[in-house]
Amino acid sequence: MTARFLLKTLVPVAAAAALLVACGSTGTQPSTWVYVSNADSQDLSVYQLDHAAGALRHADTVPLGGQAMPMAVSPDKRTLYVALRSQPYRVVSLAIDPENGRLRKLGESPLADSMANIDTDATGRWLFAASYGGNKITVNRIGVDGQAGPVVQNIPTSPNAHAIHADAANRYVFATSLGGDNLSSWRFNPDTGQLTANDPALTSITPAKAGPRHFTWDKAQRRMYLLNELDASVHVLEYDAARGALRDLQRLSTLPAGFTGKPWAADLHLSPDGRTLYTSERTSSTLSAFRVDAASGQLQLLAQVPTEKTPRGFAVDSSGRFLIAAGQESHSVSVHPIDPATGVPGTPQRFPAGKNPNWVEIVDLP
């Protein structure tokens, strides 16, 4: 085989490979977009996550004209919802461009109050919201175009409703009451969007004044993990998916050793493989990592690491390689590389955000 023949054969192959890499079409890594809501600058920061460098590339800043805080992504990843907690209270619906991750405003719709948390049901037809100051949960209709519409149900709750989510089967919806130390359980009808009280209707959380805040389920829907704001503890709860019922299994502190001051826990997320649970605590500005026992779902502390000042919100990317935390008082976000062997977040790279960044959503696009 001559050198000339080899050259003619290999050059087109190399060119094709280079084109695949340039176009991001190797099939190994999706395009990953990070959205951060900034309450005080009343806007969203849009970044692309560079997986190779563990860095954020700023792509856009989207003004919203209100105190941008909790966000939710539609199940089909086509729409981002942002709740504005300044009057007039409303939810902004933003279409996600599948080509470049940029956002296009679809419209706004009124919310019944200042909402601490929003989420969609599994069908993407309904938007749930929980109001801390208004002591209520609500349901808004979502149109076929992805735009959130009017409120269809408004339900009073115990004091300081904080988080609301449907389970994976879309049969039951739970909401925390930070002031009432409980989770309410609701049967959900995805055809009508209606919530009706479940039996049991409430699960009490002990000790008193723990302050249930955020929660998440494991993929198998066998456990719920609940973070308490006021004592910075995390609960492991057994979940009966047939009845929508909970049973307490374990409670651990997320506070670092030697902690002094007032506990102020904020957020929690599981790693995509379910092996590690992460929590954030604002007074100490730390992240905690817990190993999840595969059989029992119970937790063992792995490490506690410093992060952005006052880390209200964070998220873990779908590869499980990066944890991105927003610092309310640092006005920055940190990208922590996650050790693949231990699950512990490492030393981060830091990037500027807007004023008072508080919520992080991550979306993969093909």
Side-chain angles (χ1 to χ4, degrees), residues 216-247:
T216 189
W217 283 273
D218 65 355
K219 287 185 179 179
Q221 298 285 282
R222 297 171 57 197
R223 315 279 184 247
M224 178 189 284
Y225 297 92
L226 168 70
L227 184 66
N228 297 306
E229 177 177 326
L230 303 182
D231 68 359
S233 64
V234 60
H235 279 267
V236 183
L237 302 162
E238 183 179 61
Y239 182 53
D240 182 343
R243 298 174 52 238
L246 298 165
R247 183 174 68 89

PDB file of all heavy atoms in Angstrom, residues 216-247:
ATOM      1  N   THR A 216     -37.108  15.373  47.913  1.00  0.00           N
ATOM      2  CA  THR A 216     -36.971  14.679  46.642  1.00  0.00           C
ATOM      3  C   THR A 216     -37.126  13.188  46.881  1.00  0.00           C
ATOM      4  O   THR A 216     -36.943  12.704  48.005  1.00  0.00           O
ATOM      5  CB  THR A 216     -35.606  14.978  45.989  1.00  0.00           C
ATOM      6  OG1 THR A 216     -35.588  14.466  44.658  1.00  0.00           O
ATOM      7  CG2 THR A 216     -34.449  14.372  46.783  1.00  0.00           C
ATOM      8  N   TRP A 217     -37.488  12.445  45.831  1.00  0.00           N
ATOM      9  CA  TRP A 217     -37.586  10.991  45.897  1.00  0.00           C
ATOM     10  C   TRP A 217     -36.398  10.340  45.211  1.00  0.00           C
ATOM     11  O   TRP A 217     -35.778  10.935  44.321  1.00  0.00           O
ATOM     12  CB  TRP A 217     -38.834  10.500  45.152  1.00  0.00           C
ATOM     13  CG  TRP A 217     -40.144  10.660  45.824  1.00  0.00           C
ATOM     14  CD1 TRP A 217     -40.735   9.781  46.695  1.00  0.00           C
ATOM     15  CD2 TRP A 217     -41.084  11.738  45.658  1.00  0.00           C
ATOM     16  NE1 TRP A 217     -41.987  10.262  47.068  1.00  0.00           N
ATOM     17  CE2 TRP A 217     -42.225  11.450  46.446  1.00  0.00           C
ATOM     18  CE3 TRP A 217     -41.073  12.912  44.913  1.00  0.00           C
ATOM     19  CZ2 TRP A 217     -43.328  12.292  46.515  1.00  0.00           C
ATOM     20  CZ3 TRP A 217     -42.163  13.756  44.976  1.00  0.00           C
ATOM     21  CH2 TRP A 217     -43.273  13.456  45.764  1.00  0.00           C
ATOM     22  N   ASP A 218     -36.116   9.072  45.586  1.00  0.00           N
ATOM     23  CA  ASP A 218     -35.185   8.289  44.786  1.00  0.00           C
ATOM     24  C   ASP A 218     -35.924   7.782  43.550  1.00  0.00           C
ATOM     25  O   ASP A 218     -37.146   7.852  43.452  1.00  0.00           O
ATOM     26  CB  ASP A 218     -34.574   7.147  45.596  1.00  0.00           C
ATOM     27  CG  ASP A 218     -35.601   6.099  46.040  1.00  0.00           C
ATOM     28  OD1 ASP A 218     -36.815   6.293  45.814  1.00  0.00           O
ATOM     29  OD2 ASP A 218     -35.179   5.079  46.609  1.00  0.00           O
ATOM     30  N   LYS A 219     -35.173   7.296  42.557  1.00  0.00           N
ATOM     31  CA  LYS A 219     -35.782   6.877  41.296  1.00  0.00           C
ATOM     32  C   LYS A 219     -36.726   5.700  41.471  1.00  0.00           C
ATOM     33  O   LYS A 219     -37.716   5.571  40.741  1.00  0.00           O
ATOM     34  CB  LYS A 219     -34.687   6.536  40.277  1.00  0.00           C
ATOM     35  CG  LYS A 219     -33.973   7.751  39.719  1.00  0.00           C
ATOM     36  CD  LYS A 219     -32.987   7.353  38.636  1.00  0.00           C
ATOM     37  CE  LYS A 219     -32.293   8.579  38.060  1.00  0.00           C
ATOM     38  NZ  LYS A 219     -31.296   8.214  37.012  1.00  0.00           N
ATOM     39  N   ALA A 220     -36.430   4.845  42.434  1.00  0.00           N
ATOM     40  CA  ALA A 220     -37.286   3.672  42.662  1.00  0.00           C
ATOM     41  C   ALA A 220     -38.574   4.025  43.405  1.00  0.00           C
ATOM     42  O   ALA A 220     -39.444   3.169  43.552  1.00  0.00           O
ATOM     43  CB  ALA A 220     -36.510   2.602  43.431  1.00  0.00           C
ATOM     44  N   GLN A 221     -38.679   5.273  43.871  1.00  0.00           N
ATOM     45  CA  GLN A 221     -39.862   5.726  44.617  1.00  0.00           C
ATOM     46  C   GLN A 221     -40.078   4.896  45.888  1.00  0.00           C
ATOM     47  O   GLN A 221     -41.204   4.636  46.297  1.00  0.00           O
ATOM     48  CB  GLN A 221     -41.102   5.679  43.740  1.00  0.00           C
ATOM     49  CG  GLN A 221     -41.033   6.597  42.522  1.00  0.00           C
ATOM     50  CD  GLN A 221     -41.217   8.063  42.871  1.00  0.00           C
ATOM     51  OE1 GLN A 221     -42.332   8.517  43.098  1.00  0.00           O
ATOM     52  NE2 GLN A 221     -40.127   8.788  42.910  1.00  0.00           N
ATOM     53  N   ARG A 222     -38.969   4.516  46.512  1.00  0.00           N
ATOM     54  CA  ARG A 222     -39.035   3.801  47.788  1.00  0.00           C
ATOM     55  C   ARG A 222     -38.717   4.707  48.960  1.00  0.00           C
ATOM     56  O   ARG A 222     -39.111   4.424  50.088  1.00  0.00           O
ATOM     57  CB  ARG A 222     -38.058   2.617  47.777  1.00  0.00           C
ATOM     58  CG  ARG A 222     -38.372   1.552  46.747  1.00  0.00           C
ATOM     59  CD  ARG A 222     -37.246   0.546  46.649  1.00  0.00           C
ATOM     60  NE  ARG A 222     -36.959  -0.082  47.934  1.00  0.00           N
ATOM     61  CZ  ARG A 222     -35.836  -0.743  48.203  1.00  0.00           C
ATOM     62  NH1 ARG A 222     -34.875  -0.825  47.286  1.00  0.00           N
ATOM     63  NH2 ARG A 222     -35.653  -1.291  49.373  1.00  0.00           N
ATOM     64  N   ARG A 223     -38.000   5.800  48.710  1.00  0.00           N
ATOM     65  CA  ARG A 223     -37.585   6.710  49.776  1.00  0.00           C
ATOM     66  C   ARG A 223     -37.869   8.157  49.366  1.00  0.00           C
ATOM     67  O   ARG A 223     -37.772   8.522  48.199  1.00  0.00           O
ATOM     68  CB  ARG A 223     -36.083   6.589  50.056  1.00  0.00           C
ATOM     69  CG  ARG A 223     -35.569   5.167  50.141  1.00  0.00           C
ATOM     70  CD  ARG A 223     -35.815   4.521  51.486  1.00  0.00           C
ATOM     71  NE  ARG A 223     -35.228   3.204  51.523  1.00  0.00           N
ATOM     72  CZ  ARG A 223     -35.911   2.067  51.588  1.00  0.00           C
ATOM     73  NH1 ARG A 223     -37.231   2.094  51.621  1.00  0.00           N
ATOM     74  NH2 ARG A 223     -35.293   0.898  51.612  1.00  0.00           N
ATOM     75  N   MET A 224     -38.168   8.968  50.362  1.00  0.00           N
ATOM     76  CA  MET A 224     -38.195  10.417  50.195  1.00  0.00           C
ATOM     77  C   MET A 224     -37.137  11.004  51.111  1.00  0.00           C
ATOM     78  O   MET A 224     -36.978  10.562  52.255  1.00  0.00           O
ATOM     79  CB  MET A 224     -39.557  11.010  50.549  1.00  0.00           C
ATOM     80  CG  MET A 224     -39.608  12.540  50.428  1.00  0.00           C
ATOM     81  SD  MET A 224     -41.126  13.279  51.094  1.00  0.00           S
ATOM     82  CE  MET A 224     -42.286  12.872  49.799  1.00  0.00           C
ATOM     83  N   TYR A 225     -36.413  12.002  50.608  1.00  0.00           N
ATOM     84  CA  TYR A 225     -35.402  12.707  51.402  1.00  0.00           C
ATOM     85  C   TYR A 225     -35.902  14.132  51.614  1.00  0.00           C
ATOM     86  O   TYR A 225     -36.224  14.841  50.662  1.00  0.00           O
ATOM     87  CB  TYR A 225     -34.049  12.673  50.687  1.00  0.00           C
ATOM     88  CG  TYR A 225     -33.549  11.252  50.536  1.00  0.00           C
ATOM     89  CD1 TYR A 225     -33.839  10.517  49.388  1.00  0.00           C
ATOM     90  CD2 TYR A 225     -32.843  10.638  51.560  1.00  0.00           C
ATOM     91  CE1 TYR A 225     -33.422   9.205  49.261  1.00  0.00           C
ATOM     92  CE2 TYR A 225     -32.416   9.324  51.443  1.00  0.00           C
ATOM     93  CZ  TYR A 225     -32.712   8.607  50.288  1.00  0.00           C
ATOM     94  OH  TYR A 225     -32.297   7.296  50.175  1.00  0.00           O
ATOM     95  N   LEU A 226     -35.973  14.540  52.877  1.00  0.00           N
ATOM     96  CA  LEU A 226     -36.576  15.814  53.260  1.00  0.00           C
ATOM     97  C   LEU A 226     -35.563  16.640  54.041  1.00  0.00           C
ATOM     98  O   LEU A 226     -34.984  16.165  55.024  1.00  0.00           O
ATOM     99  CB  LEU A 226     -37.819  15.563  54.131  1.00  0.00           C
ATOM    100  CG  LEU A 226     -38.418  16.764  54.852  1.00  0.00           C
ATOM    101  CD1 LEU A 226     -39.084  17.715  53.862  1.00  0.00           C
ATOM    102  CD2 LEU A 226     -39.432  16.304  55.908  1.00  0.00           C
ATOM    103  N   LEU A 227     -35.355  17.877  53.617  1.00  0.00           N
ATOM    104  CA  LEU A 227     -34.449  18.792  54.310  1.00  0.00           C
ATOM    105  C   LEU A 227     -35.257  19.776  55.140  1.00  0.00           C
ATOM    106  O   LEU A 227     -36.200  20.395  54.646  1.00  0.00           O
ATOM    107  CB  LEU A 227     -33.596  19.555  53.297  1.00  0.00           C
ATOM    108  CG  LEU A 227     -32.525  20.489  53.871  1.00  0.00           C
ATOM    109  CD1 LEU A 227     -31.438  19.697  54.598  1.00  0.00           C
ATOM    110  CD2 LEU A 227     -31.906  21.343  52.771  1.00  0.00           C
ATOM    111  N   ASN A 228     -34.870  19.922  56.410  1.00  0.00           N
ATOM    112  CA  ASN A 228     -35.516  20.873  57.315  1.00  0.00           C
ATOM    113  C   ASN A 228     -34.673  22.141  57.405  1.00  0.00           C
ATOM    114  O   ASN A 228     -33.470  22.076  57.659  1.00  0.00           O
ATOM    115  CB  ASN A 228     -35.684  20.263  58.702  1.00  0.00           C
ATOM    116  CG  ASN A 228     -36.598  19.058  58.691  1.00  0.00           C
ATOM    117  OD1 ASN A 228     -37.726  19.132  58.216  1.00  0.00           O
ATOM    118  ND2 ASN A 228     -36.114  17.935  59.205  1.00  0.00           N
ATOM    119  N   GLU A 229     -35.311  23.282  57.214  1.00  0.00           N
ATOM    120  CA  GLU A 229     -34.591  24.551  57.192  1.00  0.00           C
ATOM    121  C   GLU A 229     -34.113  24.988  58.571  1.00  0.00           C
ATOM    122  O   GLU A 229     -32.986  25.465  58.729  1.00  0.00           O
ATOM    123  CB  GLU A 229     -35.486  25.643  56.603  1.00  0.00           C
ATOM    124  CG  GLU A 229     -34.848  27.024  56.610  1.00  0.00           C
ATOM    125  CD  GLU A 229     -35.722  28.081  55.965  1.00  0.00           C
ATOM    126  OE1 GLU A 229     -36.439  27.767  54.994  1.00  0.00           O
ATOM    127  OE2 GLU A 229     -35.680  29.237  56.432  1.00  0.00           O
ATOM    128  N   LEU A 230     -34.976  24.859  59.586  1.00  0.00           N
ATOM    129  CA  LEU A 230     -34.726  25.541  60.854  1.00  0.00           C
ATOM    130  C   LEU A 230     -33.747  24.827  61.771  1.00  0.00           C
ATOM    131  O   LEU A 230     -33.125  25.476  62.621  1.00  0.00           O
ATOM    132  CB  LEU A 230     -36.054  25.774  61.585  1.00  0.00           C
ATOM    133  CG  LEU A 230     -37.104  26.573  60.791  1.00  0.00           C
ATOM    134  CD1 LEU A 230     -38.356  26.792  61.634  1.00  0.00           C
ATOM    135  CD2 LEU A 230     -36.529  27.898  60.314  1.00  0.00           C
ATOM    136  N   ASP A 231     -33.607  23.501  61.648  1.00  0.00           N
ATOM    137  CA  ASP A 231     -32.569  22.814  62.432  1.00  0.00           C
ATOM    138  C   ASP A 231     -31.524  22.164  61.522  1.00  0.00           C
ATOM    139  O   ASP A 231     -30.624  21.480  62.002  1.00  0.00           O
ATOM    140  CB  ASP A 231     -33.176  21.782  63.388  1.00  0.00           C
ATOM    141  CG  ASP A 231     -33.795  20.582  62.691  1.00  0.00           C
ATOM    142  OD1 ASP A 231     -33.790  20.534  61.441  1.00  0.00           O
ATOM    143  OD2 ASP A 231     -34.288  19.676  63.398  1.00  0.00           O
ATOM    144  N   ALA A 232     -31.652  22.368  60.198  1.00  0.00           N
ATOM    145  CA  ALA A 232     -30.687  21.864  59.208  1.00  0.00           C
ATOM    146  C   ALA A 232     -30.489  20.355  59.306  1.00  0.00           C
ATOM    147  O   ALA A 232     -29.387  19.846  59.128  1.00  0.00           O
ATOM    148  CB  ALA A 232     -29.343  22.586  59.346  1.00  0.00           C
ATOM    149  N   SER A 233     -31.579  19.637  59.568  1.00  0.00           N
ATOM    150  CA  SER A 233     -31.517  18.181  59.567  1.00  0.00           C
ATOM    151  C   SER A 233     -32.107  17.641  58.278  1.00  0.00           C
ATOM    152  O   SER A 233     -32.867  18.324  57.581  1.00  0.00           O
ATOM    153  CB  SER A 233     -32.277  17.602  60.771  1.00  0.00           C
ATOM    154  OG  SER A 233     -33.666  17.910  60.689  1.00  0.00           O
ATOM    155  N   VAL A 234     -31.745  16.404  57.956  1.00  0.00           N
ATOM    156  CA  VAL A 234     -32.303  15.735  56.788  1.00  0.00           C
ATOM    157  C   VAL A 234     -32.966  14.442  57.253  1.00  0.00           C
ATOM    158  O   VAL A 234     -32.410  13.705  58.076  1.00  0.00           O
ATOM    159  CB  VAL A 234     -31.222  15.472  55.712  1.00  0.00           C
ATOM    160  CG1 VAL A 234     -30.093  14.595  56.226  1.00  0.00           C
ATOM    161  CG2 VAL A 234     -31.838  14.873  54.463  1.00  0.00           C
ATOM    162  N   HIS A 235     -34.168  14.210  56.769  1.00  0.00           N
ATOM    163  CA  HIS A 235     -34.923  13.005  57.096  1.00  0.00           C
ATOM    164  C   HIS A 235     -34.915  12.042  55.914  1.00  0.00           C
ATOM    165  O   HIS A 235     -35.036  12.469  54.756  1.00  0.00           O
ATOM    166  CB  HIS A 235     -36.391  13.337  57.408  1.00  0.00           C
ATOM    167  CG  HIS A 235     -36.626  13.835  58.802  1.00  0.00           C
ATOM    168  ND1 HIS A 235     -36.971  13.022  59.848  1.00  0.00           N
ATOM    169  CD2 HIS A 235     -36.583  15.074  59.310  1.00  0.00           C
ATOM    170  CE1 HIS A 235     -37.130  13.743  60.947  1.00  0.00           C
ATOM    171  NE2 HIS A 235     -36.900  14.988  60.639  1.00  0.00           N
ATOM    172  N   VAL A 236     -34.806  10.752  56.214  1.00  0.00           N
ATOM    173  CA  VAL A 236     -35.071   9.696  55.250  1.00  0.00           C
ATOM    174  C   VAL A 236     -36.438   9.118  55.596  1.00  0.00           C
ATOM    175  O   VAL A 236     -36.668   8.675  56.722  1.00  0.00           O
ATOM    176  CB  VAL A 236     -34.002   8.591  55.293  1.00  0.00           C
ATOM    177  CG1 VAL A 236     -34.284   7.545  54.208  1.00  0.00           C
ATOM    178  CG2 VAL A 236     -32.614   9.181  55.130  1.00  0.00           C
ATOM    179  N   LEU A 237     -37.359   9.123  54.625  1.00  0.00           N
ATOM    180  CA  LEU A 237     -38.717   8.648  54.837  1.00  0.00           C
ATOM    181  C   LEU A 237     -39.003   7.500  53.876  1.00  0.00           C
ATOM    182  O   LEU A 237     -38.694   7.575  52.688  1.00  0.00           O
ATOM    183  CB  LEU A 237     -39.731   9.773  54.596  1.00  0.00           C
ATOM    184  CG  LEU A 237     -39.555  11.025  55.461  1.00  0.00           C
ATOM    185  CD1 LEU A 237     -40.288  12.210  54.853  1.00  0.00           C
ATOM    186  CD2 LEU A 237     -40.063  10.773  56.873  1.00  0.00           C
ATOM    187  N   GLU A 238     -39.592   6.441  54.393  1.00  0.00           N
ATOM    188  CA  GLU A 238     -40.041   5.356  53.526  1.00  0.00           C
ATOM    189  C   GLU A 238     -41.320   5.797  52.830  1.00  0.00           C
ATOM    190  O   GLU A 238     -42.229   6.337  53.464  1.00  0.00           O
ATOM    191  CB  GLU A 238     -40.293   4.099  54.355  1.00  0.00           C
ATOM    192  CG  GLU A 238     -40.696   2.895  53.528  1.00  0.00           C
ATOM    193  CD  GLU A 238     -40.906   1.664  54.398  1.00  0.00           C
ATOM    194  OE1 GLU A 238     -41.782   1.706  55.281  1.00  0.00           O
ATOM    195  OE2 GLU A 238     -40.174   0.677  54.191  1.00  0.00           O
ATOM    196  N   TYR A 239     -41.389   5.547  51.503  1.00  0.00           N
ATOM    197  CA  TYR A 239     -42.544   6.000  50.729  1.00  0.00           C
ATOM    198  C   TYR A 239     -43.366   4.805  50.251  1.00  0.00           C
ATOM    199  O   TYR A 239     -42.846   3.913  49.582  1.00  0.00           O
ATOM    200  CB  TYR A 239     -42.094   6.823  49.520  1.00  0.00           C
ATOM    201  CG  TYR A 239     -43.248   7.351  48.707  1.00  0.00           C
ATOM    202  CD1 TYR A 239     -44.271   8.080  49.311  1.00  0.00           C
ATOM    203  CD2 TYR A 239     -43.321   7.123  47.334  1.00  0.00           C
ATOM    204  CE1 TYR A 239     -45.337   8.564  48.569  1.00  0.00           C
ATOM    205  CE2 TYR A 239     -44.378   7.623  46.589  1.00  0.00           C
ATOM    206  CZ  TYR A 239     -45.384   8.335  47.208  1.00  0.00           C
ATOM    207  OH  TYR A 239     -46.444   8.807  46.467  1.00  0.00           O
ATOM    208  N   ASP A 240     -44.638   4.801  50.608  1.00  0.00           N
ATOM    209  CA  ASP A 240     -45.590   3.806  50.136  1.00  0.00           C
ATOM    210  C   ASP A 240     -46.289   4.397  48.918  1.00  0.00           C
ATOM    211  O   ASP A 240     -47.236   5.177  49.047  1.00  0.00           O
ATOM    212  CB  ASP A 240     -46.592   3.483  51.250  1.00  0.00           C
ATOM    213  CG  ASP A 240     -47.596   2.402  50.855  1.00  0.00           C
ATOM    214  OD1 ASP A 240     -47.743   2.129  49.648  1.00  0.00           O
ATOM    215  OD2 ASP A 240     -48.253   1.848  51.762  1.00  0.00           O
ATOM    216  N   ALA A 241     -45.821   4.032  47.722  1.00  0.00           N
ATOM    217  CA  ALA A 241     -46.339   4.638  46.504  1.00  0.00           C
ATOM    218  C   ALA A 241     -47.775   4.235  46.213  1.00  0.00           C
ATOM    219  O   ALA A 241     -48.483   4.941  45.483  1.00  0.00           O
ATOM    220  CB  ALA A 241     -45.456   4.257  45.317  1.00  0.00           C
ATOM    221  N   ALA A 242     -48.230   3.117  46.773  1.00  0.00           N
ATOM    222  CA  ALA A 242     -49.612   2.685  46.550  1.00  0.00           C
ATOM    223  C   ALA A 242     -50.603   3.547  47.313  1.00  0.00           C
ATOM    224  O   ALA A 242     -51.716   3.789  46.841  1.00  0.00           O
ATOM    225  CB  ALA A 242     -49.769   1.218  46.949  1.00  0.00           C
ATOM    226  N   ARG A 243     -50.192   4.029  48.485  1.00  0.00           N
ATOM    227  CA  ARG A 243     -51.095   4.802  49.339  1.00  0.00           C
ATOM    228  C   ARG A 243     -50.724   6.276  49.423  1.00  0.00           C
ATOM    229  O   ARG A 243     -51.483   7.075  49.971  1.00  0.00           O
ATOM    230  CB  ARG A 243     -51.098   4.218  50.765  1.00  0.00           C
ATOM    231  CG  ARG A 243     -51.594   2.785  50.851  1.00  0.00           C
ATOM    232  CD  ARG A 243     -51.423   2.220  52.252  1.00  0.00           C
ATOM    233  NE  ARG A 243     -51.994   3.099  53.269  1.00  0.00           N
ATOM    234  CZ  ARG A 243     -51.306   3.623  54.279  1.00  0.00           C
ATOM    235  NH1 ARG A 243     -50.006   3.389  54.401  1.00  0.00           N
ATOM    236  NH2 ARG A 243     -51.909   4.377  55.168  1.00  0.00           N
ATOM    237  N   GLY A 244     -49.543   6.650  48.932  1.00  0.00           N
ATOM    238  CA  GLY A 244     -49.092   8.025  49.100  1.00  0.00           C
ATOM    239  C   GLY A 244     -48.804   8.356  50.543  1.00  0.00           C
ATOM    240  O   GLY A 244     -49.084   9.455  51.020  1.00  0.00           O
ATOM    241  N   ALA A 245     -48.212   7.390  51.267  1.00  0.00           N
ATOM    242  CA  ALA A 245     -47.965   7.539  52.703  1.00  0.00           C
ATOM    243  C   ALA A 245     -46.469   7.491  52.989  1.00  0.00           C
ATOM    244  O   ALA A 245     -45.691   6.880  52.243  1.00  0.00           O
ATOM    245  CB  ALA A 245     -48.685   6.450  53.485  1.00  0.00           C
ATOM    246  N   LEU A 246     -46.068   8.099  54.115  1.00  0.00           N
ATOM    247  CA  LEU A 246     -44.669   8.210  54.495  1.00  0.00           C
ATOM    248  C   LEU A 246     -44.444   7.667  55.901  1.00  0.00           C
ATOM    249  O   LEU A 246     -45.314   7.796  56.769  1.00  0.00           O
ATOM    250  CB  LEU A 246     -44.223   9.677  54.443  1.00  0.00           C
ATOM    251  CG  LEU A 246     -44.287  10.367  53.078  1.00  0.00           C
ATOM    252  CD1 LEU A 246     -44.178  11.877  53.241  1.00  0.00           C
ATOM    253  CD2 LEU A 246     -43.187   9.849  52.153  1.00  0.00           C
ATOM    254  N   ARG A 247     -43.240   7.090  56.113  1.00  0.00           N
ATOM    255  CA  ARG A 247     -42.848   6.622  57.441  1.00  0.00           C
ATOM    256  C   ARG A 247     -41.407   7.017  57.687  1.00  0.00           C
ATOM    257  O   ARG A 247     -40.534   6.768  56.844  1.00  0.00           O
ATOM    258  CB  ARG A 247     -43.011   5.106  57.543  1.00  0.00           C
ATOM    259  CG  ARG A 247     -42.699   4.539  58.934  1.00  0.00           C
ATOM    260  CD  ARG A 247     -43.034   3.063  58.986  1.00  0.00           C
ATOM    261  NE  ARG A 247     -42.148   2.271  58.149  1.00  0.00           N
ATOM    262  CZ  ARG A 247     -40.990   1.751  58.558  1.00  0.00           C
ATOM    263  NH1 ARG A 247     -40.542   1.975  59.789  1.00  0.00           N
ATOM    264  NH2 ARG A 247     -40.256   1.012  57.728  1.00  0.00           N
TER     265      ARG A 247
END
